Amino acid sequence: MTQSITPELRQWIIEQSTAGCLPESVLDAMVKAGWQAEVAERALEQTLRDHLQQIGAGRVVAPAPATSTVGARHAIGVAVPDLALAGSPRRVDAGDREVDVIVSMGQPRVVVLGGLLSDEECEALIAAARPRMARSLTVETTTGGEELNPNRTSNGMFFQRGESELIRRIEARIERLVQWPLENGEGLQVLNYQVGAEYKPHYDYFDPAEPGTPTILQRGGQRVGTVVIYLNEPVRGGGTTFPDVGLEVAPIRGNAVFFSYNRPHPSTLSLHGGAPVLEGEKWVATKWLREREFV
């Protein structure tokens, strides 16, 4: 029996993908529902390609149309935070101040911003964080808890969302800049790296294959964007690296780097790390953005 790709099937594929389902999961569901594998793959590829072309200037960071079924499986993504950079503006409005656009990349989506925080705000944030610093932990994806990770040799702490006037001011700027609800952000984290400390290349999203990921996602879904703000300037080293594209962002006080990843997959090229501090020390503030309200 010949199966045809109906408008209803196309609409269902778009609905599942928009809801955050991975293409592999959508394809598997179609086959289990009785669709022939070759028809399911063709429908998935054609529908996702057409849908990505129609997104246009929306908030989904859409890669080039896929040319194979494998490409289509990696092409779909969810809505992500992003800056309004149509027309290549020199500066963007952050509400209470204008912020310089220094670098803007499409794939991976990386934007380097100048002057997100003033020198005084950087100093105030360090002063507020210093008494609360402890050895940094990372999310333990096999259980959903936290663990010491030898790849991350820094000290850190988390502010509660909106816990002070300074924090609220910074969060409001980020919300306006990346066009993402304030409540979808995790609490601002401040990190301190001494000489030799680093954070080896990693992804900020949670690996769907890990057993602890469903527990983590209950608090607000996947991470879809990151803002790293530099609070001081180490003498040497300490940049933010993106190994897949050979990019290193220098840690300049008050500047920030924003990057997003519209699916939990290495094809986003969002692999990044904190290079070792070679002289001096490094202070940064990190804001992770989730799909939904973070609780």
Side-chain angles (χ1 to χ4, degrees), residues 148-262:
L148 284 173
N149 187 333
N151 290 331
R152 189 182 204 181
T153 51
S154 62
N155 292 316
M157 56 76 64
F158 277 95
F159 289 102
Q160 293 295 314
R161 198 168 55 213
E163 77 167 67
S164 70
E165 190 279 330
L166 174 62
I167 298 300
R168 290 191 294 272
R169 192 191 318 152
I170 295 170
E171 290 174 334
R173 279 180 206 158
I174 293 173
E175 178 185 34
R176 187 180 185 99
L177 280 172
V178 304
Q179 307 175 89
W180 205 246
L182 186 151
E183 61 270 19
N184 290 18
E186 298 181 26
L188 193 69
Q189 184 186 43
V190 172
L191 297 169
N192 174 240
Y193 295 81
Q194 296 293 322
V195 171
E198 64 179 321
Y199 195 179
K200 293 182 179 179
H202 59 282
Y203 299 100
D204 281 351
Y205 58 72
F206 305 111
D207 187 347
E210 292 289 347
T213 294
T215 299
I216 298 168
L217 299 187
Q218 290 177 5
R219 299 193 65 188
Q222 270 287 0
R223 286 175 176 168
V224 290
T226 303
V227 181
V228 178
I229 309 169
Y230 306 106
L231 304 180
N232 82 321
E233 298 177 11
V235 179
R236 291 189 299 126
T240 302
T241 63
F242 293 84
D244 287 339
V245 292
L247 174 67
E248 180 170 348
V249 180
I252 305 299
R253 182 167 63 176
N255 287 8
V257 57
F258 160 80
F259 53 101
S260 62
Y261 28 96
N262 65 343

Side-chain angles (χ1 to χ4, degrees), residues 26-97:
V26 176
L27 183 62
D28 183 60
M30 292 171 65
V31 172
K32 288 180 179 178
W35 288 91
Q36 298 168 7
E38 61 273 19
V39 176
E41 290 181 356
R42 187 169 68 253
L44 182 66
E45 179 177 354
Q46 292 177 355
T47 301
L48 297 187
R49 181 191 292 117
D50 293 345
H51 182 56
L52 288 171
Q53 289 175 336
Q54 293 170 3
I55 288 173
R59 289 198 300 179
V60 173
V61 179
T67 57
S68 67
T69 302
V70 173
R73 293 181 184 182
H74 293 164
I76 191 62
V78 298
V80 296
D82 200 4
L83 286 85
L85 299 183
S88 302
R90 173 70 178 80
R91 295 182 177 86
V92 286
D93 181 16
D96 62 347
R97 69 192 292 127

